[in-house]
Amino acid sequence: QVALPQELDFSQAVITGNYRQSAIHRIAARELQRYLASLSGNLLRMEERKYPSAYPAAIHLLSEGTGIPLDAELVRMGLFRNRTEAKEQVGRWFGDAWANEEAFLLTAYRRNGRSILLIVGRQPIGVLYGVYTLLERLGVGFTLGGDVLPPGRVTLRLAPFTQLWKPAFAIRGSLPWFN
């Protein structure tokens, strides 16, 4: 099956991130790798601190909470020319949601012929929530009775998009007991 011109193909993507700085980043990357393998039948490679510019397709997990300023990381990745430009873009992406530690952004786009998917969280927990939200977009269901995968194989192709999420409630969770 051939990707449509506007679709971004992540079937051979490399999952990148700064995993040593955060246990939550490591968990998020492993969960993403594991579920994408279950969905597509293809185990994507994980590379620490490699940048999307090094690969034809990359999924990069990124947050401010790993000890490296987000704007500096975006410049180092080759996505912006300087930190001022990167900081302005982060402001446009997050707006007032930047104040929320669980806020995250998913953005998929093509740059210089490469497919790039960024999962950007204000803090590492936002990256983890971003991974699960991406998996839900691909058809995975997370229920109290267990995870539900879509039937058959899923192609790892996405149309370009940018979307910001922030929690609707101050405390996440569920209380399945009514007594």
Side-chain angles (χ1 to χ4, degrees):
Q1 199 174 30
V2 177
L4 299 173
Q6 69 273 18
E7 287 185 319
L8 305 169
D9 185 1
F10 294 98
S11 61
Q12 300 298 317
V14 175
I15 300 169
T16 70
N18 191 1
Y19 310 130
R20 285 191 193 139
Q21 298 297 322
S22 166
I24 295 175
H25 268 238
R26 283 191 299 278
I27 292 167
R30 288 183 187 134
E31 287 285 272
L32 182 62
Q33 182 188 45
R34 179 173 69 94
Y35 279 102
L36 292 180
S38 295
L39 290 170
S40 69
N42 186 19
L43 184 66
L44 300 183
R45 196 168 79 241
M46 287 176 37
E47 297 280 342
E48 181 167 358
R49 296 210 33 101
K50 302 287 183 178
Y51 298 108
S53 60
Y55 306 103
I59 303 170
H60 193 77
L61 284 58
L62 184 64
S63 77
E64 184 86 355
T66 60
I68 299 171
L70 183 57
D71 56 344
E73 190 82 352
L74 291 166
V75 170
R76 194 174 314 161
M77 291 168 55
L79 301 177
F80 297 96
R81 290 186 299 264
N82 56 57
R83 288 182 71 178
T84 301
E85 184 181 304
K87 196 173 285 195
E88 288 171 359
Q89 182 59 50
V90 169
R92 284 191 293 274
W93 279 340
F94 280 90
D96 65 348
W98 190 249
N100 190 308
E101 290 190 359
E102 296 181 353
F104 62 91
L105 173 97
L106 298 177
T107 184
Y109 59 94
R110 187 175 318 281
R111 183 178 179 106
N112 299 328
R114 295 184 300 272
S115 296
I116 298 172
L117 173 59
L118 295 179
I119 303 173
V120 181
R122 166 129 186 304
Q123 293 293 319
I125 193 66
V127 173
L128 183 63
Y129 292 144
V131 164
Y132 289 129
T133 299
L134 173 65
L135 294 169
E136 287 175 336
R137 282 183 71 116
L138 295 172
V140 177
F142 300 99
T143 69
L144 291 175
D147 302 343
V148 179
L149 299 176
R153 295 287 181 214
V154 172
T155 58
L156 301 180
R157 295 188 183 121
L158 297 169
F161 74 97
T162 298
Q163 192 162 5
L164 172 70
W165 281 267
K166 61 182 178 178
F169 301 101
I171 299 174
R172 288 184 186 252
S174 62
L175 184 58
W177 304 276
F178 55 87
N179 56 354

